[in-house]
Amino acid sequence: MQLTRRTVLLTGAAVGAAGAVTTTPAARAGAAQPLRTDPFTLGVASGDPDHQGFVLWTRLAPRPLAEDGLGGMPARPVPVRWELAADERFRHVVRRGGVLARPESAHSVHVELDGLLPGREYFYRFRAQRWTSPVGRTRTAPAPWAMPGALAMAFASCSQYEHGYFTAYRRLAETEPELILHLGDYQYEYAKGTYTIPGGNPRDHEGPETVTLANYRQRHAQYKTDADLQAAHAVAPWLVVWDDHEVDNNWADEAYEKPEIPQPDFLARRAAAFQAYYENMPLRRTSIPRGIDMQLYRRVRWGRLATFHLLDTRQYRDDQACGDGYRSCAAAYDPARSITGAEQEAWLLDGFRRSEARWDLIGQQVFFAQRDNDSGPLTVTSMDAWDGYVASRDRITRGWLDAGVRNPVVLTGDVHAHWASDLKADYADPTSRTVGSELVCSSVTSTGDGADSPSGAHPWLAFNPHLRFQNNLRGYVRTTITPGQLSADFDVLPYVTRPDAPAHTRARFVVEDRVPGLHLTYDQPLPTAPGARSAAPPTDAAPRTDAGRLTVDAETRRP
């Protein structure tokens, strides 16, 4: 078969020779006992690019679903060789080296490279003994002083393995973006049969609800065995941040979800989740967990075109006000409450002041704009979103205004539906100035198939005029960022409870340079697809506790 970039990346082809490896006594001992089956069952990934390098990742797991979370690997270090090339055939290898995959890190490998050329595409692979990994493609960011002509960036969130197939990741990979953001809920914590969709889940989780390090390692491994997810990781570098389900639904700093159901070991659970998250993501060593703490908020620059401010809205937040859920809640306006914590807030505001980027993109988890679900005089909003931390949102908004940020755009996941909104100086006054834009991606699978609807059909849009678009199908968002504009395609799939669905661009919005707010340039309902299921209403689908199970319900947002 003739190798092309697409066949290499999307079929996982691997060819050529591997490089030298370290010859320490531990490495020689690990090499002495053969790996009898392919250890690269979890694929490869890269992430956190800057203008000189990036992180390369893999994890050895010949039996990825092993209950102890160690993937069937022996309790000893195993040498792994890696190669970086300028071409997909590895005719021009520019770097090679070796590293030990250690049992205390679940035999994960993080190779942090530096000293490369800016704005360049590279290909990479790993080898352990006679086994060679799939090939991945990655790239360095442009030089700090460069103004790229365009950046193709996509973002996604909320991939519940049990609720459907990860076809959205495959379709995203086929568009060959240069950069991918994942905004959280990469994996879910529930045991089989706990969180179900109408008609039943098409796939099941292995193992119990994730509580221990072994549980989280096994769950990450199960997700990583998915070929569609592997294709998306192999096609471009990722920037990842977590939301709640990587640990526990709606956790807030040291507070777990349900106070009425004690979790006396919650901090140990949090530390285990953090450790497994780092082990399974292409993160730099600055994010290595230290007990219950992990540095995840960070900044990535793409020349002078864009700066990505990646936030962590879970680890430092105050507990949700008024018992969580949708509430009309005075405590949500308390200026002492924060969703980011004081240190992260100061870091973000300082980044706004220092930014020289054409576009400042804030990659984070929960809905930023106000989203009132009451048509009457009350303001009833989600206590888990920025609506539950109004003063915190106001300080961030004032921060980018005071700093003169040229084009602020907030990127959001979490709510299992596509949304697009104008950000306002004062949400109580519909005529107040527009000061930014928010793009919200739907889920990859979470809550199942969903349904299409006319773009203005959602009832909340009538009394939230700054909310411009909503769609309840699954999908992702693709953006093209140029010096003159940012365009966002809201791509959807007609179904996810069966594999291999096609993708369709449901709507396109454009933000013009120096013109805050969204302009709809394309709006096309989903073509009728034979066999497509569309039982869900055009509202945020959400789980509800019912006799020990969680089922999709449109009136509450969360389990």
Side-chain angles (χ1 to χ4, degrees), residues 56-120:
L56 305 180
W57 173 93
T58 193
R59 178 183 161 199
L60 306 183
R63 291 192 296 109
L65 302 185
E67 291 184 4
D68 63 2
L70 298 178
M73 288 294 293
R76 65 176 186 274
V78 174
V80 176
R81 292 168 289 179
W82 56 266
E83 282 187 308
L84 186 75
D87 66 298
E88 58 263 48
R89 292 177 177 270
F90 287 78
R91 290 171 174 166
H92 305 287
V93 174
V94 296
R95 293 280 184 89
R96 54 165 51 100
V99 64
L100 286 178
R102 299 180 182 276
E104 56 267 31
S105 299
H107 291 93
S108 62
V109 171
H110 295 75
V111 178
E112 194 167 328
L113 295 179
D114 203 356
L116 301 173
L117 295 174
R120 298 297 179 92

Side-chain angles (χ1 to χ4, degrees), residues 205-490:
H205 279 152
E206 293 285 336
E209 178 163 337
T210 52
V211 176
T212 68
L213 180 56
N215 298 158
Y216 284 108
R217 283 170 167 171
Q218 181 193 41
R219 186 61 50 81
H220 274 283
Q222 183 176 20
Y223 277 58
K224 281 285 203 305
T225 59
D226 186 277
D228 295 334
L229 175 56
Q230 289 189 18
H233 271 299
V235 81
W238 282 41
L239 305 178
V240 298
V241 286
W242 55 39
D243 193 12
D244 53 336
H245 289 289
E246 288 86 352
V247 180
D248 180 36
N249 181 59
N250 277 26
W251 68 283
D253 194 3
E254 297 185 7
Y256 47 85
E257 178 191 6
K258 297 177 180 178
E260 69 275 15
I261 304 177
Q263 291 193 46
D265 298 323
F266 178 71
L267 295 185
R269 180 182 188 179
R270 169 173 153 164
F274 287 11
Q275 176 69 23
Y277 188 82
Y278 175 79
E279 289 171 352
N280 287 278
M281 293 295 172
L283 290 164
R284 291 181 179 270
R285 61 178 65 93
T286 52
S287 292
I288 294 174
R290 292 170 175 81
I292 64 166
D293 298 314
M294 181 171 170
Q295 177 69 46
L296 196 60
Y297 67 84
R298 59 204 189 280
R299 193 169 286 118
V300 174
R301 296 177 175 84
W302 206 263
R304 292 190 297 117
L305 180 65
T307 294
F308 294 89
H309 310 268
L310 301 167
L311 303 188
D312 176 353
T313 63
R314 289 289 165 192
Q315 191 174 177
Y316 314 104
R317 66 157 71 193
D318 291 292
D319 199 3
Q320 291 90 344
C322 294
D324 207 354
Y326 276 82
R327 302 282 188 270
S328 178
C329 177
Y333 298 85
D334 182 350
R337 289 173 46 77
S338 174
I339 195 171
T340 61
E343 184 176 331
Q344 183 177 195
E345 180 179 302
W347 167 86
L348 180 59
L349 297 179
D350 181 66
F352 289 157
R353 289 188 291 269
R354 295 173 181 270
S355 178
E356 298 178 352
R358 184 66 53 92
W359 300 89
D360 281 87
L361 299 112
I362 304 164
Q364 55 92 49
Q365 295 73 39
V366 294
F367 218 95
F368 191 85
Q370 179 174 292
R371 206 168 48 135
D372 184 4
N373 77 354
D374 189 292
S375 60
L378 294 178
T379 299
V380 180
T381 57
S382 169
M383 295 300 97
D384 189 56
W386 288 79
D387 277 330
Y389 307 81
V390 173
S392 194
R393 177 175 62 200
D394 289 347
R395 290 192 296 269
I396 298 302
T397 305
R398 285 198 309 271
W400 76 55
L401 291 173
D402 293 346
V405 169
R406 181 162 173 162
N407 294 300
V409 178
V410 177
L411 309 176
T412 301
D414 183 58
V415 294
H416 307 170
H418 282 320
W419 291 79
S421 56
D422 293 333
L423 301 177
K424 308 296 283 188
D426 180 4
Y427 292 101
D429 178 8
T431 66
S432 72
R433 63 187 281 213
T434 296
V435 296
S437 306
E438 181 176 21
L439 307 172
V440 184
C441 65
S442 186
S443 62
V444 171
T445 55
S446 300
T447 67
D449 288 338
D452 198 13
S453 60
S455 294
H458 196 290
W460 298 358
L461 273 61
F463 44 91
N464 292 272
H466 58 282
L467 301 180
R468 302 289 304 282
F469 174 74
Q470 189 273 353
N471 188 271
N472 197 39
L473 288 165
R474 310 287 75 83
Y476 49 89
V477 176
R478 291 182 296 115
T479 69
T480 301
I481 305 170
T482 71
Q485 68 174 31
L486 182 154
S487 67
D489 286 4
F490 289 81

